[in-house]
mmCIF file of all heavy atoms in Angstrom:
data_model
loop_
_atom_site.group_PDB
_atom_site.id
_atom_site.type_symbol
_atom_site.label_atom_id
_atom_site.label_comp_id
_atom_site.label_asym_id
_atom_site.label_seq_id
_atom_site.Cartn_x
_atom_site.Cartn_y
_atom_site.Cartn_z
ATOM 1 N N ARG Z 210 -82.706 -236.672 -194.794
ATOM 2 C CA ARG Z 210 -82.952 -236.223 -196.154
ATOM 3 C C ARG Z 210 -84.337 -236.701 -196.569
ATOM 4 O O ARG Z 210 -84.671 -237.865 -196.361
ATOM 5 C CB ARG Z 210 -81.888 -236.824 -197.068
ATOM 6 C CG ARG Z 210 -81.957 -236.308 -198.454
ATOM 7 C CD ARG Z 210 -80.791 -236.817 -199.230
ATOM 8 N NE ARG Z 210 -80.872 -236.282 -200.574
ATOM 9 C CZ ARG Z 210 -80.055 -236.611 -201.523
ATOM 10 N NH1 ARG Z 210 -79.082 -237.458 -201.289
ATOM 11 N NH2 ARG Z 210 -80.179 -236.098 -202.719
ATOM 12 N N CYS Z 211 -85.139 -235.825 -197.110
ATOM 13 C CA CYS Z 211 -86.489 -236.200 -197.534
ATOM 14 C C CYS Z 211 -86.418 -237.047 -198.785
ATOM 15 O O CYS Z 211 -85.647 -236.762 -199.689
ATOM 16 C CB CYS Z 211 -87.329 -234.957 -197.822
ATOM 17 S SG CYS Z 211 -87.595 -233.943 -196.376
ATOM 18 N N TRP Z 212 -87.213 -238.071 -198.819
ATOM 19 C CA TRP Z 212 -87.264 -238.913 -200.002
ATOM 20 C C TRP Z 212 -88.614 -239.604 -200.052
ATOM 21 O O TRP Z 212 -89.323 -239.708 -199.081
ATOM 22 C CB TRP Z 212 -86.144 -239.943 -200.003
ATOM 23 C CG TRP Z 212 -86.303 -240.972 -198.934
ATOM 24 C CD1 TRP Z 212 -85.911 -240.869 -197.631
ATOM 25 C CD2 TRP Z 212 -86.932 -242.239 -199.054
ATOM 26 N NE1 TRP Z 212 -86.243 -241.981 -196.938
ATOM 27 C CE2 TRP Z 212 -86.876 -242.860 -197.781
ATOM 28 C CE3 TRP Z 212 -87.539 -242.916 -200.103
ATOM 29 C CZ2 TRP Z 212 -87.403 -244.110 -197.537
ATOM 30 C CZ3 TRP Z 212 -88.060 -244.180 -199.841
ATOM 31 C CH2 TRP Z 212 -87.987 -244.762 -198.578
ATOM 32 N N SER Z 213 -88.935 -240.071 -201.202
ATOM 33 C CA SER Z 213 -90.147 -240.843 -201.419
ATOM 34 C C SER Z 213 -89.761 -242.038 -202.269
ATOM 35 O O SER Z 213 -88.836 -241.979 -203.075
ATOM 36 C CB SER Z 213 -91.192 -240.001 -202.152
ATOM 37 O OG SER Z 213 -92.293 -240.806 -202.510
ATOM 38 N N ALA Z 214 -90.445 -243.158 -202.068
ATOM 39 C CA ALA Z 214 -90.156 -244.360 -202.851
ATOM 40 C C ALA Z 214 -90.478 -244.146 -204.325
ATOM 41 O O ALA Z 214 -89.895 -244.778 -205.194
ATOM 42 C CB ALA Z 214 -90.947 -245.542 -202.300
ATOM 43 N N ALA Z 215 -91.404 -243.257 -204.610
ATOM 44 C CA ALA Z 215 -91.798 -243.014 -206.004
ATOM 45 C C ALA Z 215 -90.832 -242.027 -206.643
ATOM 46 O O ALA Z 215 -90.360 -241.093 -205.998
ATOM 47 C CB ALA Z 215 -93.208 -242.451 -206.048
ATOM 48 N N PRO Z 216 -90.505 -242.227 -207.922
ATOM 49 C CA PRO Z 216 -89.647 -241.249 -208.599
ATOM 50 C C PRO Z 216 -90.405 -239.937 -208.761
ATOM 51 O O PRO Z 216 -91.634 -239.925 -208.787
ATOM 52 C CB PRO Z 216 -89.366 -241.901 -209.955
ATOM 53 C CG PRO Z 216 -90.494 -242.848 -210.170
ATOM 54 C CD PRO Z 216 -90.918 -243.317 -208.804
ATOM 55 N N PRO Z 217 -89.676 -238.824 -208.884
ATOM 56 C CA PRO Z 217 -90.380 -237.556 -209.078
ATOM 57 C C PRO Z 217 -91.107 -237.568 -210.415
ATOM 58 O O PRO Z 217 -90.710 -238.274 -211.341
ATOM 59 C CB PRO Z 217 -89.251 -236.515 -209.075
ATOM 60 C CG PRO Z 217 -88.009 -237.273 -209.357
ATOM 61 C CD PRO Z 217 -88.227 -238.674 -208.885
ATOM 62 N N PRO Z 218 -92.170 -236.801 -210.525
ATOM 63 C CA PRO Z 218 -92.857 -236.741 -211.819
ATOM 64 C C PRO Z 218 -91.934 -236.199 -212.894
ATOM 65 O O PRO Z 218 -90.969 -235.486 -212.595
ATOM 66 C CB PRO Z 218 -94.032 -235.782 -211.551
ATOM 67 C CG PRO Z 218 -93.740 -235.108 -210.264
ATOM 68 C CD PRO Z 218 -92.741 -235.926 -209.523
ATOM 69 N N ARG Z 219 -92.209 -236.525 -214.124
ATOM 70 C CA ARG Z 219 -91.359 -236.146 -215.254
ATOM 71 C C ARG Z 219 -91.076 -234.647 -215.277
ATOM 72 O O ARG Z 219 -89.952 -234.216 -215.509
ATOM 73 C CB ARG Z 219 -92.009 -236.584 -216.567
ATOM 74 C CG ARG Z 219 -91.135 -236.352 -217.797
ATOM 75 C CD ARG Z 219 -91.820 -236.701 -219.096
ATOM 76 N NE ARG Z 219 -91.851 -238.010 -219.620
ATOM 77 C CZ ARG Z 219 -90.929 -238.971 -219.632
ATOM 78 N NH1 ARG Z 219 -89.822 -238.789 -219.000
ATOM 79 N NH2 ARG Z 219 -91.100 -240.096 -220.243
ATOM 80 N N TRP Z 220 -92.087 -233.820 -215.016
ATOM 81 C CA TRP Z 220 -91.902 -232.377 -215.071
ATOM 82 C C TRP Z 220 -90.974 -231.868 -213.976
ATOM 83 O O TRP Z 220 -90.438 -230.774 -214.073
ATOM 84 C CB TRP Z 220 -93.244 -231.643 -215.010
ATOM 85 C CG TRP Z 220 -94.065 -231.960 -213.797
ATOM 86 C CD1 TRP Z 220 -95.036 -232.900 -213.697
ATOM 87 C CD2 TRP Z 220 -93.962 -231.359 -212.514
ATOM 88 N NE1 TRP Z 220 -95.545 -232.933 -212.431
ATOM 89 C CE2 TRP Z 220 -94.901 -231.990 -211.673
ATOM 90 C CE3 TRP Z 220 -93.161 -230.359 -211.966
ATOM 91 C CZ2 TRP Z 220 -95.079 -231.653 -210.340
ATOM 92 C CZ3 TRP Z 220 -93.330 -230.021 -210.642
ATOM 93 C CH2 TRP Z 220 -94.286 -230.662 -209.845
ATOM 94 N N ALA Z 221 -90.746 -232.651 -212.902
ATOM 95 C CA ALA Z 221 -89.913 -232.194 -211.790
ATOM 96 C C ALA Z 221 -88.468 -232.683 -211.898
ATOM 97 O O ALA Z 221 -87.636 -232.319 -211.078
ATOM 98 C CB ALA Z 221 -90.523 -232.675 -210.485
ATOM 99 N N ARG Z 222 -88.151 -233.511 -212.895
ATOM 100 C CA ARG Z 222 -86.800 -234.045 -213.025
ATOM 101 C C ARG Z 222 -85.875 -233.001 -213.648
ATOM 102 O O ARG Z 222 -86.273 -232.265 -214.547
ATOM 103 C CB ARG Z 222 -86.822 -235.302 -213.897
ATOM 104 C CG ARG Z 222 -87.575 -236.426 -213.240
ATOM 105 C CD ARG Z 222 -87.580 -237.659 -214.112
ATOM 106 N NE ARG Z 222 -88.535 -238.606 -213.556
ATOM 107 C CZ ARG Z 222 -89.200 -239.491 -214.249
ATOM 108 N NH1 ARG Z 222 -88.975 -239.616 -215.549
ATOM 109 N NH2 ARG Z 222 -90.035 -240.302 -213.668
ATOM 110 N N PRO Z 223 -84.618 -232.970 -213.167
ATOM 111 C CA PRO Z 223 -83.662 -232.024 -213.765
ATOM 112 C C PRO Z 223 -83.406 -232.360 -215.227
ATOM 113 O O PRO Z 223 -83.473 -233.519 -215.617
ATOM 114 C CB PRO Z 223 -82.391 -232.211 -212.935
ATOM 115 C CG PRO Z 223 -82.690 -233.231 -211.908
ATOM 116 C CD PRO Z 223 -84.073 -233.742 -212.111
ATOM 117 N N ARG Z 224 -83.096 -231.350 -216.011
ATOM 118 C CA ARG Z 224 -82.830 -231.560 -217.434
ATOM 119 C C ARG Z 224 -81.368 -231.468 -217.719
ATOM 120 O O ARG Z 224 -80.614 -230.810 -217.164
ATOM 121 C CB ARG Z 224 -83.595 -230.558 -218.274
ATOM 122 C CG ARG Z 224 -85.053 -230.787 -218.138
ATOM 123 C CD ARG Z 224 -85.807 -229.819 -218.984
ATOM 124 N NE ARG Z 224 -87.221 -230.140 -218.786
ATOM 125 C CZ ARG Z 224 -88.168 -229.514 -219.359
ATOM 126 N NH1 ARG Z 224 -87.936 -228.525 -220.155
ATOM 127 N NH2 ARG Z 224 -89.407 -229.848 -219.133
#
Side-chain angles (χ1 to χ4, degrees):
R210 186 173 181 185
C211 296
W212 68 276
S213 172
R219 186 184 275 322
W220 57 266
R222 294 180 191 151
R224 295 181 179 180

